[in-house]
Amino acid sequence: MLGALLGSSVAMADVVFDLGAQQLYYPATKLTDSNGYDTIDQYQEATYDTGAAIVSTGLTSVNGYYRPMKNRSGYFGVSIKEPKANTAISFSMYCYLNDDGCSIELLDKNAQAVNISFHYYSDYSNNLYGKISTAGQFAYGIGNNDTSINGTIEIDPTNIHISINGGTFAFDVPKTGFELKKVNFSLYTEGSTYIDYTDKLNALSISTSD
């Protein structure tokens, strides 16, 4: 999972967050009108202190994955309390690319941002569907509409290396001194009530080292 990023420092790497180690979900409160009718659920952002990180989520946990509620957008953010020179992120998600797609935002301790976006794209003549973009770089062919996306993001003192779907798509983003402070996953329902149109975060782990 940590790949070449940490090299001989793998044994000293600290796991600062592992989605599979806890259940996180946002709570719902009930809203009613002045007569006590038309009770509806109001979903709220929730924040959790997991020890080495602060987690904020507008997603709900369902059957082991995290997703927005119907007709809503949502996000999952992890803020690292003590950013370090090296960071390794491993994630797995499902994204319905049509309409809104999905995205990952990396923020360092100085509020520099790197965004990784997954979009709908169709080039029927070349049999290419789906698009990835980051830092002015693009790749085509990630998938058509409903797409499983597995990836690693490795950050060292001079570079951010992004590998998607086993290295099928790879990007190098030169960044000196980029110490990751926060990562945000933005997910959407595409305005649909259908579960197969709803983005899902299945797994996320983050490790750091000096």
Side-chain angles (χ1 to χ4, degrees):
M1 176 179 67
L2 301 180
L5 163 66
L6 302 178
S8 60
S9 300
V10 170
M12 296 183 289
D14 296 317
V15 176
V16 296
F17 180 74
D18 181 2
L19 183 62
Q22 60 269 301
Q23 285 291 305
L24 309 170
Y25 55 92
Y26 63 81
T29 60
K30 293 291 185 180
L31 289 180
T32 60
D33 64 18
S34 59
N35 297 313
Y37 300 116
D38 300 321
T39 301
I40 60 172
D41 287 330
Q42 174 178 268
Y43 294 94
Q44 301 174 325
E45 177 186 331
T47 301
Y48 305 85
D49 188 333
T50 61
I54 300 294
V55 180
S56 298
T57 178
L59 304 180
T60 187
S61 175
V62 180
N63 296 330
Y65 57 79
Y66 292 78
R67 66 173 177 85
M69 295 299 290
K70 63 183 181 179
N71 298 318
R72 295 175 180 266
S73 61
Y75 79 99
F76 195 97
V78 179
S79 181
I80 299 170
K81 291 183 179 180
E82 297 183 13
K84 295 184 178 180
N86 302 297
T87 305
I89 302 170
S90 176
F91 66 91
S92 175
M93 57 198 283
Y94 170 94
C95 184
Y96 188 81
L97 295 180
N98 208 350
D99 295 330
D100 295 317
C102 56
S103 63
I104 303 169
E105 179 187 48
L106 308 174
L107 287 168
D108 80 346
K109 63 182 183 180
N110 297 314
Q112 294 185 85
V114 173
N115 293 288
I116 309 164
S117 299
F118 305 92
H119 317 271
Y120 176 77
Y121 174 83
S122 177
D123 182 350
Y124 179 79
S125 61
N126 292 304
N127 196 32
L128 287 175
Y129 302 94
K131 175 183 177 182
I132 310 170
S133 61
T134 183
Q137 303 177 54
F138 305 93
Y140 301 88
I142 183 69
N144 188 17
N145 287 338
D146 49 335
T147 301
S148 294
I149 301 171
N150 303 297
T152 59
I153 302 168
E154 299 178 343
I155 304 170
D156 65 27
T158 60
N159 186 66
I160 300 173
H161 178 70
I162 302 161
S163 177
I164 304 297
N165 289 359
T168 302
F169 308 95
F171 306 88
D172 283 306
V173 181
K175 284 288 181 182
T176 301
F178 191 98
E179 295 185 12
L180 184 70
K181 175 63 178 177
K182 189 172 185 180
V183 57
N184 291 315
F185 287 76
S186 294
L187 306 174
Y188 303 91
T189 63
E190 320 306 335
S192 173
T193 59
Y194 296 107
I195 189 61
D196 53 335
Y197 291 174
T198 302
D199 300 340
K200 307 170 186 69
L201 179 64
N202 300 311
L204 173 62
S205 64
I206 304 172
S207 299
T208 62
S209 77
D210 292 319

